[in-house]
Amino acid sequence: MQALLEAVARGEVSSEAALERLARLPFVDTPNARVDTHRALRAGLPEVVFAPGKTAGQVVEIVRVLREAGQPVLATRVEPALAEQVRGSLPEGEYDPEARVLWFGPAEVPILGKGSITVVCAGTADLPVAREAAAVARRFGNKVELLVDVGVAGLHRLLASDETLRSARVLIAVAGMEGALPSVVGGLVDKPVIAVPTSVGYGASFGGIAALLGMLTSCASNVTVVNIDNGFGAAYVATLINRL
Amino acid sequence: MQALLEAVARGEVSSEAALERLARLPFVDTPNARVDTHRALRAGLPEVVFAPGKTAGQVVEIVRVLREAGQPVLATRVEPALAEQVRGSLPEGEYDPEARVLWFGPAEVPILGKGSITVVCAGTADLPVAREAAAVARRFGNKVELLVDVGVAGLHRLLASDETLRSARVLIAVAGMEGALPSVVGGLVDKPVIAVPTSVGYGASFGGIAALLGMLTSCASNVTVVNIDNGFGAAYVATLINRL
Amino acid sequence: MQALLEAVARGEVSSEAALERLARLPFVDTPNARVDTHRALRAGLPEVVFAPGKTAGQVVEIVRVLREAGQPVLATRVEPALAEQVRGSLPEGEYDPEARVLWFGPAEVPILGKGSITVVCAGTADLPVAREAAAVARRFGNKVELLVDVGVAGLHRLLASDETLRSARVLIAVAGMEGALPSVVGGLVDKPVIAVPTSVGYGASFGGIAALLGMLTSCASNVTVVNIDNGFGAAYVATLINRL
Amino acid sequence: MQALLEAVARGEVSSEAALERLARLPFVDTPNARVDTHRALRAGLPEVVFAPGKTAGQVVEIVRVLREAGQPVLATRVEPALAEQVRGSLPEGEYDPEARVLWFGPAEVPILGKGSITVVCAGTADLPVAREAAAVARRFGNKVELLVDVGVAGLHRLLASDETLRSARVLIAVAGMEGALPSVVGGLVDKPVIAVPTSVGYGASFGGIAALLGMLTSCASNVTVVNIDNGFGAAYVATLINRL
Amino acid sequence: MQALLEAVARGEVSSEAALERLARLPFVDTPNARVDTHRALRAGLPEVVFAPGKTAGQVVEIVRVLREAGQPVLATRVEPALAEQVRGSLPEGEYDPEARVLWFGPAEVPILGKGSITVVCAGTADLPVAREAAAVARRFGNKVELLVDVGVAGLHRLLASDETLRSARVLIAVAGMEGALPSVVGGLVDKPVIAVPTSVGYGASFGGIAALLGMLTSCASNVTVVNIDNGFGAAYVATLINRL
Amino acid sequence: MQALLEAVARGEVSSEAALERLARLPFVDTPNARVDTHRALRAGLPEVVFAPGKTAGQVVEIVRVLREAGQPVLATRVEPALAEQVRGSLPEGEYDPEARVLWFGPAEVPILGKGSITVVCAGTADLPVAREAAAVARRFGNKVELLVDVGVAGLHRLLASDETLRSARVLIAVAGMEGALPSVVGGLVDKPVIAVPTSVGYGASFGGIAALLGMLTSCASNVTVVNIDNGFGAAYVATLINRL
Amino acid sequence: MQALLEAVARGEVSSEAALERLARLPFVDTPNARVDTHRALRAGLPEVVFAPGKTAGQVVEIVRVLREAGQPVLATRVEPALAEQVRGSLPEGEYDPEARVLWFGPAEVPILGKGSITVVCAGTADLPVAREAAAVARRFGNKVELLVDVGVAGLHRLLASDETLRSARVLIAVAGMEGALPSVVGGLVDKPVIAVPTSVGYGASFGGIAALLGMLTSCASNVTVVNIDNGFGAAYVATLINRL
Amino acid sequence: MQALLEAVARGEVSSEAALERLARLPFVDTPNARVDTHRALRAGLPEVVFAPGKTAGQVVEIVRVLREAGQPVLATRVEPALAEQVRGSLPEGEYDPEARVLWFGPAEVPILGKGSITVVCAGTADLPVAREAAAVARRFGNKVELLVDVGVAGLHRLLASDETLRSARVLIAVAGMEGALPSVVGGLVDKPVIAVPTSVGYGASFGGIAALLGMLTSCASNVTVVNIDNGFGAAYVATLINRL
């Protein structure tokens, strides 16, 4: 902003144009969305499209604008049917059905993270969220380890992976039901643990509320929490931390 | 009931008297309560008085009726001031301020439980509830072990007591905040674990709701749950199980 | 664990191998899950597969690993369509559509429980949960009685079964709506009562919350509670108690 | 209203006056409240003042206006200190500390109800609400029976009073905790049962929510519900029914 | 019960037989339910079958048992498809699709209620619940008036029906959204008003919670409340009141 | 009302007729609804039909009655299938599928609002609600601006439209998830801001509760709130304000 | 902002200074708060200090800064003890104990609102909130009417004030318990109604939730809602509307 | 652990001793707590004592054990009265009343964090939580900036501190009420933002729930959340991140 103001001061840019540019520059208007083309500049990350509620046409439109701006794009929560439709128009998209992500960008993403991110997952039913977190973290340029089915009622399984836990620079702990995994993982490591409650469960799990409350009240001090099922958000923050 | 009906059939008891006895026998009317004098007969346990909301006078009245019927009495959730007032009238009462129980009965209770009950407690703040559970279980004739401050974020503390956990016939796990302790304990033993959520915590613990939901959705199948802060109820059920 | 450490001390096992075995022994990795093959050893019970959210392929895979390890397997919450698919690959499975359980093991399970378990069910709509509890308890080696449609608004029906209630060593009380059945049953017996709230009901039953809260706040002290619709969990704990 | 319109039509009353009278007649303005002086006319009942949140001065002011209009007045939820203050100014008030009601009217209220109202109360802690209901019903001209401490976990106590239950024309069932009493009482009688949840309890009773939900989802069809702790409202409706 | 005991005392009935009859008499066992054949005796009302969750076969089975015992039967919440199936086996059933009730009994039900019941309904979307209440009340032998679309934001519509409101002996007020109708109706009459919250609404109506809370906290003292959408329960209680 | 009373006083209208007219005049009875034909008179606005829960037949019936009374009609929340059915009978209806409104009235609505209404929308997923608000406001005779995709995490997009915000006489801010947009918009303008939470989101958005609470607790004092997804209500109030 | 940019373009202001002024100008730093001195400029209203949680010293500090900047100040939710302390330092403050507001400014505030604001209040217990709304609206330069104790269960009281309701340009409806008043008031007028739920009530009013939900789901379309007990916010918005 | 096992393999440590040491080493038993003396070793941070619910005696006891083990200790949420009592026994404690922390350790803590942590605080009422976060972060060896009173309804105040925001390596955003601050801050920076909801607010803020939900559903992807009022936890995680 200061650069622009200095240009105004030097008379190189009129004040109207400055206002215009300040406001209009960082996004492109499409009929349904102001597509933000500067996030990659700002954060050095691909643009992300959250697919639920969007038609294949809308996803294609947004991806095209961003690809034309030279950016890689990652679409999340993409169900197989939608993926197929989008790839009908944009066949270069690479689809990972287990993580439900659709990738438009280089096949090999350079590793920019300084250490590795370990994603720990309590039960098999939590796997889609854990896989989303892992896939996003990989596409964001991180080395990623994924540990599955290591719930707290079977500690031996978790302790067997103690080394993988301790070698991570940041950890993501994914769990539904009572959501106790982050507390136990948090007690085993001295690194930041990002907890992701999942909507997995029935009855008193109330669609993830039990896990969410459990994680927020964790007795391990190195735990922070993201929204229920928000594997993407956990990977995003883990990436930011891993680049520090 | 059949015995009474047979007496009626033999003409030894009139039908009106039978009806009367069926209904009136097992309790004594005091001005404020129908005091149940037959629970000890039925369950072989002392009568229990839940103190909150009762005046010292009401507690004294109920204890007297029960003591006159020859029963030991245990009052729970007795704050020190109330204990002092009650003991003004009934000096034989023995008060345990940490467990907040007031006991009227033999100094030594015979051990009737077949094994031992282990009470596990996550944090120091959960101690009053855990001590209530332990004190009640002892007065109900059980051998009791109490493990304190063994939260899941410091697994080494819990694992250090592994033997005490495994030697119990029934376990009581007391925890506030995220309430993950019963899941971890449940995974370490193959005995029934009775989980007691406590109202300890702040913010998203919502007065024990987080712990309660966490325990109800525990991934350990050997866990059942009682009401928030209900150390007494856990000890009661543990006693019934330990006498089987 | 001590046995292993002693072997290390005697030089029979290297420390690396000990660590490896400590961690890897009790489970088998399949692509989607760490299948726990030691629970039967630990608890003397069949392994249980919770079916919801699993594909027929995943169920088959897990059952195969466990059957190869010589264990009986019980799959719960198996809808008829899934049962048919799984039995396409594993025809020896025995399916009980009312209880929604699929059994892989001996046709006759030896009775290991010391007494009988009585499952009491408030309304016809609660039957699937009650039948799950009864079927699981039977496959876990217990003698089981099932009483149905004995809600508290028709006490005569419940009182007519008084003998069946009193003869049980452990009881399971299943109810939706206001969930009052465990309180009434708990008052009639001096044995542990495991309460199962069901999601049956409408309006203010809020998918089982009314029943759950009612059971947690039961005025009968011999009641503990499991998650909404968790007939399996109730049977599991009842089995543990019945073997004591 | 038609009478007034006819008077207008006959020219006896001007249209402005009619409007004025329509609107102003049935209440008297005091500085803090429009005191309704016509409810007694409409419903044949004393005016009722809900005391919480009102100063002694405000209560005195309202009672005076109503007494000057010749009406009996009943103040509810009057704590002892407030009662004393009000009776400093209005010594004719008769105070019942257990029911927390303050009565201004004839010592003997004529019985206008056609049958008797039975108030049933689950525990001693629910007594203040039950006594409020009973005292209000008596001051509203009903014959009232009060049964106390007849919780559902001790059915024999309740069944012992079966005759009192069946002889009532309307019943009021007061309970906290799981609130199961109205369901059981409702199953024993074929008369309307008004259920009053109380805020008695701890933990998962959530200040009366458990009891409220339990009563709303009662499996007995003859149960309707009023607000938590609303003994007055139950007595009011029971009175209306008992006069039909 | 006393009659039976006297027969025992006279030796006409053995004690075992007495116990047997006490317990077994009032219901008939079918494979899926203990069908209660004595409610009609007790309350003088048809037996009612709540259809949701029951198959056509189950409904037919229960209706047959009850019809053979000579009782009229009313099935509620019967969707058209189910009605058609049931009437395939039991063509004498009379179906009212707007009220979703299916009737097995005399075409003309004798009027046993002493006055009339007025059902008031706030919006067109609440009509199914109001019509259920009206249909049930009619089949239970009451004269019924139904006022529709008289929400509180258009008071003139409600006031236009003032006479119908005042002429009722009991009223049922059905409303979703904010549920204010019972308060306004309650202020216009001096008779009992049974409030039925409906699940109609969106957003902050939370499936009827807003209406339910509004009705429970009504400032009109003559209002009691039943469960969300429970038109049947309101009609049941209104019938009991109307027969007093 | 006074006019009518004066006519009665002059003998021109009988009192019965006056009562009749007072009550019956402002609505027309159809089989399913009392259609209110006077709202347009009262408020100068088209009548509005809320479509959900209504059949095509019911919508047609209501629209016909109102059109015959000479009023324009706006149906909201009309899904495409319903729109097609209604237009089969009433082809003059103009359908806007993005806003889901169906309009019966003049193609050009005269502008009656004194200034313009700006509708601000946080995300693309909130668009249907924002478009409903904009469409309703236009059909109600207002000049409307619509700003989309201006969430608070990309302030530059919002600030770029600062002028459009400041030029409005009333604003409507539509947002799901955390619902922070009205606070930020409210801080940028000194005009009334009507906040509309949407049910857009997942996990802890709880169907719009997060946004609703956020808007109710907004730190901007010029914000008021309507129900979740209630774009229509926001437009209605904005119209009233814009005509002042 | 454009003015400043033009000054930069003309060289009159350096870019650093521009940035500095853009950011620093509109507030003054005190040790505990950035006091905003430009709100009065922006909105033409006094600055408002929300007192709860602030010490007398903090209130005095903030008021002094603002008074030195020449602005009138209104402190809200000021309890008598705090008012006395603040007036010890700032004796020119004028305190209204019923509305709990403390005013620093001209004794007579010029009327800037174009019409009058009517504040309607359901019960005497809601008066403090209604009086806050009225006092704030008066200090903000509006003509204000206050109607008290006009709950919906006594419609005649409300209808008696019909003229006062209809003559207002904006209305504020204050109610606790079921919060039905705004719906009824909204149906009687064609002006914007701002609804204020109060925390008055007990039991199922849940500290204002019942009233809040009732108002959000109001069937009157001209109702918007502010936070529970937020009389100030309602007056603020009403003022903005009344100046349009 | 491997080191210990190798010592066992070399015969230097017996297996019993190994087990003993594994379990007992990292904590010291005091009567009320197992004081963990190894956290500092593990994480390089002072031990922290959460004061609420602890007596001065308990705090003194724990601090002594830890100080004797050579560790610095930080007590949080220490009210002034408790601080005074503790400092009576341990006068070297340094108390910060605004942050409510009590410090036992070197006056100057060496800076170990690689960058600075910026704590941003929405309102003056949120200050205690923000100051706790800042004080803890400083005592944990970080350079800390604190920005106060920069709520989202006054964006200019926040934007004025843009540089401070952008220069941080990690940010902590503290806000009550609608909790929108982290979303706006998150949009301005590309670093991790730890959001702390506070219990500040009234009405629909529900003790911090509104802020908590708002932060969990933030549209800014770089936001994670800790428990309500958990300034300590935010500082702890920020410290871990800042040391990476």
Side-chain angles (χ1 to χ4, degrees), chain B residues 98-162:
Chain B
E98 290 186 319
R100 295 169 303 165
V101 301
L102 186 53
W103 169 246
F104 299 88
E108 286 297 303
V109 181
I111 298 296
L112 298 173
K114 297 184 180 168
S116 76
I117 296 172
T118 294
V119 179
V120 197
C121 176
T124 50
D126 304 313
L127 264 175
V129 175
R131 282 195 172 122
E132 181 189 66
V136 169
R138 282 191 191 107
R139 293 302 186 185
F140 278 15
N142 298 284
K143 188 158 161 290
V144 177
E145 299 277 343
L146 177 61
L147 291 176
V148 303
D149 214 6
V150 288
V152 301
L155 276 187
H156 56 289
R157 305 198 216 184
L158 185 62
L159 297 178
S161 305
D162 191 52

Side-chain angles (χ1 to χ4, degrees), chain E residues 220-232:
Chain E
S221 300
N222 49 349
V223 173
T224 59
V225 186
V226 295
N227 197 2
I228 297 166
D229 291 336
N230 190 8
F232 163 71

Side-chain angles (χ1 to χ4, degrees), chain D residues 42-243:
Chain D
R42 204 171 56 197
L45 294 173
E47 182 71 14
V48 176
V49 176
F50 182 71
K54 296 204 177 67
T55 63
Q58 289 173 316
V59 173
V60 168
E61 172 193 310
I62 296 172
V63 172
R64 277 219 177 106
V65 168
L66 290 163
R67 293 301 287 154
E68 279 160 17
Q71 290 187 25
V73 184
L74 186 67
T76 63
R77 307 256 181 117
V78 183
E79 297 304 326
L82 183 68
E84 200 171 339
Q85 285 178 287
V86 172
R87 291 177 67 203
S89 302
L90 299 164
E92 70 273 26
E94 195 178 331
Y95 184 56
D96 175 344
E98 290 187 318
R100 294 170 303 164
V101 301
L102 186 53
W103 169 248
F104 299 88
E108 287 296 304
V109 181
I111 297 296
L112 297 174
K114 295 184 180 167
S116 77
I117 296 173
T118 293
V119 179
V120 196
C121 176
T124 49
D126 304 312
L127 264 175
V129 175
R131 283 196 171 121
E132 183 189 65
V136 170
R138 282 192 191 105
R139 293 303 186 186
F140 278 15
N142 298 284
K143 188 160 160 291
V144 178
E145 299 277 344
L146 177 62
L147 291 177
V148 303
D149 213 6
V150 287
V152 299
L155 276 187
H156 55 291
R157 307 197 216 185
L158 185 62
L159 296 178
S161 306
D162 191 52
E163 206 169 337
T164 309
L165 295 176
R166 288 182 193 272
S167 67
R169 202 158 181 254
V170 197
L171 298 100
I172 295 171
V174 180
M177 300 300 283
E178 84 266 60
L181 184 63
S183 294
V184 173
V185 168
L188 294 173
V189 302
D190 57 358
K191 293 296 186 309
V193 176
I194 301 166
V196 190
T198 72
S199 56
V200 165
Y202 65 92
S205 79
F206 295 132
I209 293 181
L212 173 62
L213 297 186
M215 291 170 178
L216 285 166
T217 57
S218 173
C219 50
S221 300
N222 49 348
V223 173
T224 59
V225 186
V226 296
N227 196 2
I228 297 166
D229 291 336
N230 191 8
F232 162 71
Y236 189 99
V237 175
T239 300
L240 293 186
I241 294 173
N242 198 25
R243 290 195 182 182

Side-chain angles (χ1 to χ4, degrees), chain C residues 53-69:
Chain C
K54 296 203 177 66
T55 63
Q58 289 173 317
V59 173
V60 167
E61 172 194 309
I62 297 172
V63 172
R64 277 220 177 105
V65 168
L66 291 163
R67 293 300 286 153
E68 280 160 17

